[in-house]
Amino acid sequence: MAEAILRSDSLIVGYGGNPVISGIDLGAEAGKILTLIGPNGAGKSTILKTLIKQLPPVSGAVYLDGQELGTLKARDIALKVSAVLTGRPNPELMTCGDVVATGRYPYTGRLGILSDHDREVAAESMELVQVTELKDRDFNRISDGQRQRVLLARAICQEPRVLIMDEPTSFLDIRHKLDFLYLLRKLVLERQLAIVLSLHELELAQRFSDTVLCVRGGKVDRIGPPEEIFRGNYIAELYGVEHGSYNAELGCVETEAVQGTPRVFVVGGGGSGIPTYRLLQRRGIPFAAGVLPLNDADLPIAMALATEVVTDKAFEPVSAEAVSKALALAEKCEKVVCAAEGFGTMTAENRRILTWAEEMGKLLPLEALNTL
Amino acid sequence: MKDKRNAIYAAGFLILGVLLLVLLVLNVAIGSSKMTLQQVFQILFTRQGDNSAIVWNIRLPRLLTAALLGGALAVSGFLLQTFFGNPIAGPFVLGISSSAKLLVALTMIGSLARGVAVGSLGMILAAFVGSMLSMGAILLVSSRLKSMSLLIVCGIMIGYICSAVTDLVVTFANDSNIVNLHNWSLGSFSGMKWSSVGTIAVTVLASLALTFLLSKPMGAYQLGENYAQNMGVNVKLFRIELILLSSILSACVTAFAGPISFVGIAVPHLIKTLFRTAKPIIMIPACFLGGGVFCLLCDLIARTLFAPTELSISSVTAIFGVPVVIWMLLKRQKSKEGA
C-alpha cells in the first residue's frame, strides 16, 4: 500500500466535543479516489470538515504528510489540500475567472496580486475542466453544472495534492454527473491527485471509486474496494432500505414485489420481460415469471418484482420439469402473457406454456395488458 | 479583458480624483463670504488676502474633516458588508454609530460635570468602546440569527434604543452644554479645529493603511468563510481584525462629527457600480475617495442651501443616500429573479 498523503488515526469527529462518528482510519493516497457513502445525516460532511480542519477532531488526529493537521498553519495546509464544499458561494461582481484565480491565494504576496505564472495556472485549470469559455461570465449567473466545474477549477488552481469534495455531484443532471466524475478520474490519473469525496449516487460511487468508506450509526461501518462493498444485501442494510431493494451488482434500485397470489404469468427471457414486470408492478398486479435460466437478463428484475419465479440451470436448455412447475403456477393465474420476442434453442420448451395457455383461453396479448 | 478592466479602474480613479479636487475648491470658495477662484488659490498658496482667516481657520479644517471622515465611513461600511456578506450592512444601520454616539454623549456630559475636558483621543476612545459594545451585541445575535434581514432589524432596534437614551441624557444635561451637544448628536462637520484634524488624519489614514493590507484575505472571504479558510486565511484572526478596523473608523467619525447616515451603504454601492468590481484592493481606496467626495458634496449643500441656517449633515446624506440604497435593493431583487 502506498503511503497516504492525508490520513486519520483513530479519529473521532463531532461538534463541540460531542462525538458523532468514531473509529475513522482512512488514508488518501495519490492517484486514488476514496468515496464516503452512507445515509443522510450519517456524518459524511463532518468527517470531510475535520479532514480540512474546519472542525477540530474530538479525539485522534489527522496527519498531512506525517504532520498533525492541528500543528500546521492554514497556509501550509492550503498548499496541499483544496476543497469543493457544499453550499453556493455568491460573491458579488466576480467573474468565473476571478473565482478560479482565488485558488492562487496561498501562492500570492501580501496584497494578493497575481503574477503571470499565477494567471497561467488559472488558465490551465480552466482549460482542464473545460470552463475557459466561462472566464468572463458572472459567477452568479451560470448553471449549477457550470458552477460546480468552476469550483473544481478553483480547487485545481490551488495545485493541491489532496482534493476534498462534499457531494460535488448533487444538483447535477446525469450527463454532468458523469462528466464531472470522468474529470476526477482524469485528474487522478494525470496528476496523481488524492481525492476524497462524498457521494449519494451509489451507482457512481461503485464505478468511480478505488476505495469506499461506509458511514453508519456513528461509526465507519466498512471500508474497502467497491467490489467488496457492493455485494449482496449490504447496501440496502447500510441505508436501512425498507421499501424495495438495491441491486448491488447492477447498481440500481428496485421497487418491492406486489404481494398476493399471482394473477398473471409472464413468459419472458433475454431482457424482454423487464418492461412487462415493471408495468405489472406499477399497476399493483401480483405476477409470476418463468422459465428463466439463471443467467437470463430478466432474472434480477423478475426476482425483485415477481411473487414467484421458475428458474432453471444456466447454459442448459429449459427442462421439462421446469416447464411442468411453470404450468402448475400458470394454472393458478388468470392470464398468461408472452413478453418474449421469440424462443431459441435454450428456451424452446417455454413454447409449451404458451400453447397450453392458448388452449385454456388464458393467453392475453401483450398489448391487452392495460385492460387487466 | 485585463486591459479593459484596468482602463475602467483608471477611469474610475480619475473621475473620483477630479471630483475630489473640484469639491475641495468649491468648499473653500462657497460660503457666507464668496470668493473667486483666483482669490481661493491666492489664499491657499500665499495665506494672503481678505478671507484668509476664514479659509484657514474655518473652511479648510472643516472640508478636510468632511473628506477624511466621509472616506472613513465608506470604508467602514464596505468592511461590514464584507464581514456580513450583506450589502445593506453599515455602521449606521447596525446601530454601531448610535451606540458610539451614546457613549460619547455620556463621556462629554460626565466630564463637563466634573469640569474636566476630554481630548479628541478620549472622544475616539469613548466612541470606539460604544462601537464595540453594539458590535458585540450584533455578533452575539448573529450567531443565533442566520437571517440577515433579522440581523439588520436588530441593528436598527439597537440604534433606536441608543438614540433614545442619548436624547434623554441630552435633555437632562446642563443648559450650557446642550447647544453644543445637540448639534453634534445630529451630525455636523462644523467647528473643527486643526488639532482635531490632525488626530483624525492620523487615526483614519493609519486604519486605512491597515485595512488595505487586509484586502487579500477580504477577497478570499467574499467566497465565504469556509472557502477562505481552505485558501489559507486565518479566519478567526481576520474576523477580529475586520471588526476592530471598521469599529475604529466609524468610531472616529462619530466622535468628531456625530452619527452620519447611509454614507456607509450608498458609497460602496456607487463605487461598485462605477468600477464594476467588488475587489477589495480596488474598493478600499476607491471607497475612501468616494466617501470623501460624497461628504464634501453633502456638507457643501448642508451649509449653503439654507444659509445662514445649517442643515444637519445626516439630513443631506440621507436624502442622497436613501435613493441609492433603494435602487440597489431593487436591482438586487431583479437580478435574483433573473437568475
Side-chain angles (χ1 to χ4, degrees):
Chain A
M1 199 170 115
E3 184 59 31
I5 305 170
L6 187 72
R7 70 183 170 85
S8 71
D9 195 5
S10 341
L11 180 67
I12 300 181
V13 301
Y15 293 93
N18 300 316
V20 176
I21 306 138
S22 54
I24 308 159
D25 293 283
L26 59 78
E29 293 166 37
K32 294 279 169 67
I33 295 180
L34 169 68
T35 306
L36 273 56
I37 63 169
N40 280 333
K44 301 185 291 291
S45 298
T46 317
I47 296 178
L48 294 178
K49 278 182 193 161
T50 311
L51 290 183
I52 53 175
K53 211 187 166 185
Q54 262 168 23
L55 277 177
V58 175
S59 90
V62 181
Y63 297 92
L64 177 61
D65 276 333
Q67 283 176 293
E68 200 190 325
L69 214 56
T71 64
L72 293 170
K73 282 190 186 134
R75 181 176 175 272
D76 294 327
I77 299 171
L79 288 170
K80 289 177 182 167
V81 183
S82 72
V84 175
L85 308 164
T86 51
R88 177 179 196 149
N90 51 1
E92 220 179 335
L93 293 169
M94 267 174 111
T95 65
C96 296
D98 290 338
V99 171
V100 172
T102 61
R104 299 310 294 166
Y105 186 94
Y107 301 93
T108 54
R110 191 77 178 92
L111 289 178
I113 293 163
L114 298 174
S115 68
D116 286 341
H117 174 69
D118 291 325
R119 282 178 216 286
E120 261 170 46
V121 175
E124 272 171 28
S125 312
M126 296 190 88
E127 196 57 48
L128 191 70
V129 185
Q130 297 174 354
V131 287
T132 307
E133 75 280 2
L134 297 175
K135 189 167 184 270
D136 297 327
R137 292 268 299 278
D138 188 328
F139 181 73
N140 288 341
R141 288 167 177 274
I142 57 174
S143 73
D144 287 341
Q146 291 170 328
R147 195 185 67 238
Q148 225 40 15
R149 277 188 292 156
V150 170
L151 288 174
L152 177 62
R154 190 209 73 78
I156 293 167
C157 185
Q158 209 169 314
E159 296 188 302
R161 293 175 58 210
V162 185
L163 190 55
I164 309 265
M165 285 178 285
D166 198 358
E167 290 175 21
T169 55
S170 307
F171 309 114
L172 302 189
D173 64 30
I174 184 67
R175 181 213 147 161
H176 287 105
K177 278 186 209 293
L178 283 171
D179 282 356
F180 195 87
L181 287 165
Y182 267 110
L183 199 60
L184 296 189
R185 265 272 151 240
K186 195 169 132 184
L187 284 171
V188 159
L189 293 175
E190 287 179 9
R191 302 208 167 188
Q192 288 295 303
L193 277 181
I195 295 185
V196 183
L197 79 165
S198 61
L199 282 181
H200 270 305
E201 298 85 352
L202 296 172
E203 72 283 11
L204 299 175
Q206 181 180 16
R207 284 156 178 77
F208 286 93
S209 325
D210 294 296
T211 310
V212 179
L213 185 146
C214 312
V215 189
R216 180 178 60 157
K219 65 185 174 72
V220 174
D221 204 43
R222 276 191 198 183
I223 181 164
E227 298 76 29
E228 277 174 26
I229 303 292
F230 293 89
R231 194 193 254 175
N233 205 32
Y234 177 66
I235 295 295
E237 220 174 86
L238 174 67
Y239 282 85
V241 173
E242 286 175 0
H243 300 281
S245 59
Y246 185 81
N247 185 319
E249 283 74 28
L250 295 180
C252 62
V253 290
E254 210 44 81
T255 40
E256 268 180 310
V258 182
Q259 299 302 317
T261 36
R263 288 175 57 199
V264 180
F265 190 93
V266 184
V267 180
S272 62
I274 296 172
T276 308
Y277 304 148
R278 293 209 195 288
L279 178 81
L280 289 166
Q281 198 278 338
R282 223 159 49 229
R283 299 202 46 211
I285 300 170
F287 67 93
V291 175
L292 298 172
L294 282 172
N295 62 342
D296 197 279
D298 270 10
L299 193 72
I301 317 292
M303 291 298 263
L305 299 184
T307 47
E308 256 175 278
V309 185
V310 183
T311 59
D312 207 349
K313 279 191 196 124
F315 305 111
E316 299 280 349
V318 170
S319 64
E321 295 90 41
V323 172
S324 318
K325 249 197 210 166
L327 284 173
L329 248 178
E331 202 150 355
K332 290 185 215 147
C333 295
E334 293 161 31
K335 297 285 177 196
V336 174
V337 166
C338 175
E341 279 148 16
F343 299 97
T345 330
M346 296 301 185
T347 54
E349 280 291 297
N350 276 345
R351 266 207 200 94
R352 275 178 47 209
I353 305 171
L354 297 181
T355 328
W356 171 84
E358 200 156 22
E359 279 169 17
M360 301 294 287
K362 280 192 175 189
L363 190 65
L364 188 73
L366 201 54
E367 310 80 58
L369 214 53
N370 272 316
T371 60
L372 266 182
Chain B
M1 188 62 195
K2 192 182 144 199
D3 291 341
K4 194 180 144 204
R5 271 196 189 179
N6 286 339
I8 292 176
Y9 299 157
F13 279 114
L14 191 71
I15 292 170
L16 287 179
V18 171
L19 281 176
L20 190 67
L21 278 179
V22 170
L23 279 164
L24 284 173
V25 173
L26 284 180
N27 265 295
V28 176
I30 300 174
S32 47
S33 47
K34 294 198 169 47
M35 293 164 228
T36 62
L37 272 185
Q38 203 185 351
Q39 281 172 307
V40 169
F41 287 114
Q42 190 192 3
I43 292 167
L44 283 182
F45 292 115
T46 64
R47 287 200 173 207
Q48 302 291 312
D50 296 339
N51 293 317
S52 182
I54 293 178
V55 168
W56 280 94
N57 296 336
I58 298 171
R59 288 190 191 167
L60 268 183
R62 177 169 184 157
L63 68 86
L64 286 176
T65 311
L68 284 167
L69 294 186
L73 265 182
V75 172
S76 166
F78 177 65
L79 293 182
L80 290 172
Q81 285 148 28
T82 307
F83 185 86
F84 288 108
N86 186 326
I88 322 277
F92 193 78
V93 175
L94 290 175
I96 295 167
S97 297
S98 306
S99 68
K101 173 173 103 171
L102 173 60
L103 261 262
V104 173
L106 287 175
T107 313
M108 272 186 174
I109 291 167
S111 64
L112 283 170
R114 288 198 185 80
V116 222
V118 180
S120 46
L121 270 178
M123 289 301 191
I124 294 183
L125 203 69
F128 180 69
V129 171
S131 301
M132 291 310 289
L133 282 178
S134 74
M135 198 66 214
I138 294 268
L139 287 178
L140 216 69
V141 175
S142 78
S143 63
R144 299 203 180 169
L145 288 181
K146 289 293 160 207
S147 154
M148 271 302 153
S149 38
L150 282 177
L151 193 65
I152 301 279
V153 171
C154 273
I156 292 172
M157 294 301 142
I158 293 176
Y160 273 121
I161 294 172
C162 293
S163 290
V165 178
T166 313
D167 284 347
L168 213 71
V169 171
V170 169
T171 311
F172 289 106
N174 279 333
D175 289 337
S176 55
N177 308 330
I178 288 178
V179 185
N180 208 349
L181 206 57
H182 188 69
N183 276 344
W184 168 83
S185 75
L186 289 176
S188 166
F189 290 121
S190 67
M192 286 298 161
K193 295 189 201 78
W194 275 108
S195 61
S196 306
V197 175
T199 315
I200 291 169
V202 170
T203 317
V204 170
L205 293 177
S207 313
L208 184 73
L210 290 175
T211 308
F212 190 70
L213 290 177
L214 279 188
S215 54
K216 183 182 166 184
M218 272 172 91
Y221 201 79
Q222 285 174 334
L223 275 186
E225 197 183 319
N226 292 339
Y227 275 109
Q229 201 209 13
N230 184 242
M231 287 175 222
V233 179
N234 184 339
V235 171
K236 265 186 196 157
L237 181 68
F238 169 71
R239 284 168 66 102
I240 293 171
E241 289 169 331
L242 206 65
I243 290 295
L244 284 179
L245 283 170
S246 81
S247 296
I248 292 172
L249 285 168
S250 70
C252 189
V253 178
T254 310
F256 290 99
I260 299 175
S261 56
F262 296 104
V263 178
I265 308 176
V267 172
H269 179 66
L270 289 171
I271 296 295
K272 270 176 212 163
T273 313
L274 179 65
F275 285 78
R276 287 182 226 159
T277 184
K279 278 195 183 124
I281 199 163
I282 301 291
M283 283 299 286
I284 292 167
C287 279
F288 186 71
L289 287 177
V293 168
F294 192 85
C295 280
L296 281 174
L297 178 68
C298 289
D299 191 42
L300 188 65
I301 293 168
R303 64 188 177 85
T304 55
L305 193 63
F306 297 110
T309 311
E310 255 193 40
L311 297 171
S312 84
I313 184 73
S314 256
S315 322
V316 186
T317 54
I319 285 169
F320 283 100
V322 170
V324 173
V325 175
I326 292 172
W327 166 51
M328 171 178 76
L329 289 176
L330 290 176
K331 210 171 93 171
R332 275 174 62 83
Q333 190 60 39
K334 218 170 132 191
S335 72
K336 252 189 204 164
E337 281 162 11

